């Protein structure tokens, strides 16, 4: 089980600096050791037993239903994610229980194109990172120029809201190696001071201190959000829906699988120093 968490929002705040929006404070937060090693292992084990949707370069699990303009047909989260949801609400990350989760598994070298999370979610996203570190970049809405970069450690929690959610895009480079010296790491002051100097003995990821090159490994992320609209809430995952709702649910899942398969898989993200 996840232990109760107490967050100090002022201590964990990360300032983002945008060219068009100016200084964005108290809208992004980072907690280095949100999950213990044991909690991370248990969460990863629970994820491994889930059903994956496989794409060419990554695979994912969708929980909570397919977000939709006319309201989501909501499916209850599995127990291990319901527990995460409860902890995130109880420590103040969300005002209400987050009811949607997206789990992504990235092989080394696979990233995420710049995007915004969209209109079907309320304006807060929380990301739990597992297995390997990576850099996440924020960019202006109309360009790919990076305005802020954060290092996400395994076991960490990163959450952002407000203008950081609605006005900035975020993405992860498609690269096996991160050159940390290129960037001003916005959450540098919040990182575990021994993290980079003690990479895992199994070499699942590596860091060369002399070159400041981080070699990424397989990474899992869990992104929790609140849906803006729910048209129907299922009591349980095995509830038998009325025929018209079941047909609509199946249609939405077919659309969703086709939509994510059509997304460009290796769009180049041009990163400049920030």
């Amino acid at each position: 089980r996840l232990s109760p968490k107490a967050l100090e929002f002022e201590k964990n705040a990360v300032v983002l600096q945008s060219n068009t929006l100016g200084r964005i404070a108290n809208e992004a937060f980072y907690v280095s050791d949100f999950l213990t090693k044991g909690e991370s292992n248990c969460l990863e084990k629970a994820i491994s037993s889930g059903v994956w949707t496989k794409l060419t370069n990554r695979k994912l699990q969708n929980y909570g239903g397919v977000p939709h303009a006319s309201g989501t047909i909501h499916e209850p989260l599995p127990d291990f994610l319901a527990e995460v949801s409860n902890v995130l609400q109880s420590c103040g990350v969300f005002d209400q229980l987050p009811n949607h989760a997206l789990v992504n598994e990235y092989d080394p070298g696979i990233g995420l194109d710049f995007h915004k999370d969209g209109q079907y979610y309320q304006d807060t996203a929380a990301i739990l990172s597992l297995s390997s570190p990576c850099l996440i970049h924020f960019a202006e809405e109309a360009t790919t120029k990076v305005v802020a970069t954060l290092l996400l450690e395994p076991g960490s929690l990163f959450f952002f809201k407000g203008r950081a959610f609605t006005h900035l895009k975020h993405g992860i480079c498609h690269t096996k190696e991160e050159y940390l010296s290129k960037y001003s790491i916005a959450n540098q002051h919040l990182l575990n001071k021994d993290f980079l100097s003690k990479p895992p003995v199994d070499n699942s990821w590596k860091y060369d201190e002399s070159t400041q090159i981080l070699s990424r490994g397989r990474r899992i992320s869990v992104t929790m959000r609140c849906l803006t609209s729910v048209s129907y809430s299922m009591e349980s995952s095995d509830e038998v829906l009325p025929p018209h709702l079941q047909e609509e649910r199946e249609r939405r899942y077919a659309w969703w699988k086709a939509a994510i398969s059509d997304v460009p898989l290796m769009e180049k993200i041009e990163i400049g120093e920030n």
Side-chain angles (χ1 to χ4, degrees):
R1 294 183 60 85
L2 292 182
S3 60
K5 312 292 180 180
L7 301 185
E8 299 178 54
F9 287 87
E10 290 186 6
K11 175 183 176 182
N12 296 115
V14 178
V15 175
L16 308 182
Q17 186 69 42
S18 164
N19 295 332
T20 58
L21 302 174
R23 187 174 184 270
I24 301 176
N26 298 317
E27 296 181 23
F29 304 85
Y30 182 81
V31 185
S32 173
D33 54 354
F34 187 77
L35 298 175
T36 66
K37 183 65 175 176
E39 290 171 339
S40 294
N41 291 340
C42 288
L43 184 55
E44 191 166 346
K45 182 178 179 180
I47 289 169
S48 68
S49 63
V51 178
W52 294 97
T53 297
K54 295 184 179 180
L55 305 180
T56 302
N57 290 296
R58 64 187 173 101
K59 56 185 182 179
L60 54 85
Q61 298 175 16
N62 180 76
Y63 295 102
V66 176
H68 197 272
S70 61
T72 301
I73 301 173
H74 183 256
E75 304 159 19
L77 299 178
D79 290 345
F80 74 95
L81 287 176
E83 187 175 8
V84 173
S85 177
N86 280 313
V87 168
L88 290 176
Q89 185 200 27
S90 66
C91 67
V93 174
F94 292 92
D95 294 330
Q96 64 189 75
L97 286 172
N99 55 3
H100 190 271
L102 195 63
V103 179
N104 278 285
E105 182 183 86
Y106 303 92
D107 286 333
I110 303 303
L112 188 64
D113 294 339
F114 274 128
H115 68 286
K116 294 196 302 180
D117 284 356
Q119 60 185 331
Y120 303 141
Y121 300 106
Q122 296 180 25
D123 65 347
T124 299
I127 302 172
L128 293 169
S129 294
L130 301 169
S131 300
S132 173
C134 76
L135 295 181
I136 187 170
H137 306 281
F138 281 80
E140 302 282 358
E141 186 170 6
T143 178
T144 55
K145 179 174 175 54
V146 170
V147 298
T149 296
L150 293 90
L151 174 60
L152 305 184
E153 304 161 278
S156 69
L157 167 68
F158 172 56
F159 60 101
F160 56 100
K161 60 183 182 177
R163 293 174 299 168
F165 184 99
T166 58
H167 286 71
L168 296 179
K169 300 184 295 186
H170 57 278
I172 297 170
C173 284
H174 299 284
T175 181
K176 291 183 179 180
E177 294 183 335
E178 306 271 25
Y179 292 78
L180 301 192
S181 59
K182 288 179 63 178
Y183 308 104
S184 174
I185 307 300
N187 62 329
Q188 183 74 48
H189 61 296
L190 296 172
L191 298 175
N192 184 324
K193 63 180 181 179
D194 297 323
F195 168 68
L196 289 174
S197 64
K198 296 181 179 179
V201 295
D202 62 2
N203 290 324
S204 55
W205 62 268
K206 301 177 183 178
Y207 179 67
D208 187 325
E209 190 171 1
S210 62
T211 60
Q212 295 189 49
I213 294 177
L214 172 66
S215 299
R216 289 187 347 213
R218 166 184 162 273
R219 176 176 176 266
I220 292 176
S221 67
V222 180
T223 302
M224 305 289 296
R225 290 167 291 211
C226 293
L227 296 160
T228 54
S229 177
V230 173
S231 59
Y232 183 89
S233 291
M234 297 174 60
E235 296 285 337
S236 65
S237 57
D238 57 359
E239 177 183 343
V240 178
L241 293 172
H244 72 285
L245 279 180
Q246 182 59 32
E247 181 180 344
E248 176 64 13
R249 179 172 175 245
E250 292 173 358
R251 185 191 68 78
R252 291 182 185 184
Y253 267 104
W255 168 85
W256 173 74
K257 290 180 180 180
I260 60 174
S261 297
D262 290 339
V263 172
L265 295 172
M266 288 299 289
E267 175 189 344
K268 182 180 167 107
I269 297 179
E270 183 176 348
I271 304 293
E273 292 186 9
N274 58 287

